[in-house]
Amino acid sequence: MNILEALQALQRDGIAALEEIRGSGQLPLWYRTYLGRKGRLTQLLRGLGDLSAGERPLAGKRANEVKAALEDAFQARQEHIKAAELEVALSSEQVDVTLPGRPIAPGHLHLVTRTLRRLREIFAEMGFQVYEAPEVETDENNFELLNIPAYHPARDMWDTFWISDEVVLRTHTSPGQIRCMRESHPHPIRVILPGKCYRYEQVTPRSEHQFFQVEGLAVGHNIRLTDLIGTMREFAGKMYGEGRKMRIRGSYFPFTEPSIEVDMDCILCRSEGCRVCKYTGWLEIAGAGMVHPVVLRNGGYDPEEWSGFAFGMGVERPAMLQHGIEDIRYFYGNDLRFLRQF
Ligand code: DAH
């Protein structure tokens, strides 16, 4: 029997065998026998190599046709059998429609959302409104107008995702200050600006390339550094418990002058010294300062007449401290085993 006849026989046998099948349980065996990796078709195909160059194309073509015919017949038979089985099941089995359904877990707010809501609440009590600004920003708002020109080394403080030469994913919530000032002039301002920020950073247990910040901005007449410090003290007490100790350190940000960093006594060890506070007894809670005259002017406020303070704080980091979460990546991993705990 030459290979063409063998192929013909294979197709005939296969289709005849399919017709014999009565239940879907027998389908896999048929498939293995005829079309499987060690099946009859595969074995015949091995013989192709022994053919002369003249015979090979025709045999190859026939082999493909047989394969397609068997695949099609198998699909059709499978559908037919499954439909028949379903029919039988539907008419013979009983469905108890009075059984209770499986309960669907209602879910709850993400830890970050809850932390953000708490922050909003605390600042609302102090008279701060919420100002929402976009996550995609111009280079101008994110840097230039915040007193960070292109040549300035301070740009190295933020690793940036660039969308185009002039558009970035905001690296901090501070550009919202400019938008808010331009919209609010000539009225005084007291807002927080919560939202997501992005940095082109290696993702590690301590840093994500996406994270939340809450920015604060107050602009008015005779606003002083002590107003900022009082606001931070009030915030720390409400967020982390009354009687917090606070420490102010001089710092540098291009958009504030003077700039400070606000530390709070470590909530985990009560300032005794632990791994989280790196044995200093202090945790950093915010960068802040008096709004730089250049930034006020860029926002449309005359620094001779107006003054203001601003601050910026992270959201995930304090939540991590409070709940003893050791890896920031959990926040965005969507693992229910993590999310359910909070
Ligand atoms: N934008 C700063 C950052 O992401 C945080 C910050 C510091 C915001 C001082 C402020 C500020 O408004 O006054 O690192």
Side-chain angles (χ1 to χ4, degrees), residues 145-174:
L145 296 173
L146 291 172
N147 203 23
I148 319 169
Y151 59 79
H152 200 285
R155 280 216 181 184
D156 297 345
M157 289 163 80
W158 296 274
D159 302 296
T160 312
F161 282 115
W162 293 88
I163 304 281
S164 71
D165 284 352
E166 271 133 43
V167 180
V168 302
L169 294 183
R170 67 175 172 193
T171 58
H172 48 179
T173 41
S174 305

Side-chain angles (χ1 to χ4, degrees), residues 158 171-172 174 177 199 213 215-216 253 255-256 287-289 310-312:
W158 296 274
T171 58
H172 48 179
S174 305
Q177 290 189 30
R199 289 187 198 171
Q213 282 189 344
E215 187 90 8
F253 298 102
F255 29 87
T256 41
F311 58 84

Side-chain angles (χ1 to χ4, degrees), residues 202-309:
Q202 192 184 359
V203 176
T204 71
R206 294 182 53 84
S207 63
E208 256 287 0
H209 61 267
Q210 52 174 349
F211 53 90
F212 281 88
Q213 282 189 344
V214 171
E215 187 90 8
L217 175 67
V219 178
H221 298 292
N222 302 316
I223 290 188
R224 291 160 304 175
L225 189 64
T226 43
D227 296 316
L228 169 60
I229 295 172
T231 305
M232 289 292 101
R233 188 177 294 285
E234 176 80 5
F235 162 74
K238 289 214 163 114
M239 186 78 185
Y240 299 104
E242 288 306 323
R244 301 248 64 104
K245 267 190 256 150
M246 233 161 80
R247 178 173 83 167
I248 305 293
R249 285 179 291 137
S251 183
Y252 169 74
F253 298 102
F255 29 87
T256 41
E257 184 59 41
S259 303
I260 60 171
E261 240 148 288
V262 185
D263 295 345
M264 182 184 82
D265 54 332
C266 181
I267 39 178
L268 294 183
C269 65
R270 302 258 148 222
S271 294
E272 306 227 315
C274 68
R275 213 159 51 96
V276 174
C277 64
K278 301 204 190 92
Y279 302 96
T280 62
W282 296 98
L283 294 173
E284 193 183 305
I285 58 170
M290 300 307 289
V291 182
H292 197 289
V294 166
V295 176
L296 278 175
R297 200 172 294 118
N298 288 341
Y301 287 81
D302 179 358
E304 297 294 327
E305 245 187 81
W306 299 85
S307 61
F309 67 72

Side-chain angles (χ1 to χ4, degrees), residues 8-44:
Q8 191 63 36
L10 176 64
Q11 180 169 347
R12 200 181 48 235
D13 293 354
I15 285 173
L18 260 183
E19 296 298 325
E20 296 296 312
I21 291 183
R22 292 282 164 264
S24 56
Q26 297 164 272
L27 287 165
L29 177 61
W30 180 93
Y31 200 91
R32 274 201 302 281
T33 311
Y34 290 91
L35 293 172
R37 220 156 25 91
K38 294 182 181 156
R40 286 177 56 180
L41 183 65
T42 314
Q43 267 158 21
L44 274 182

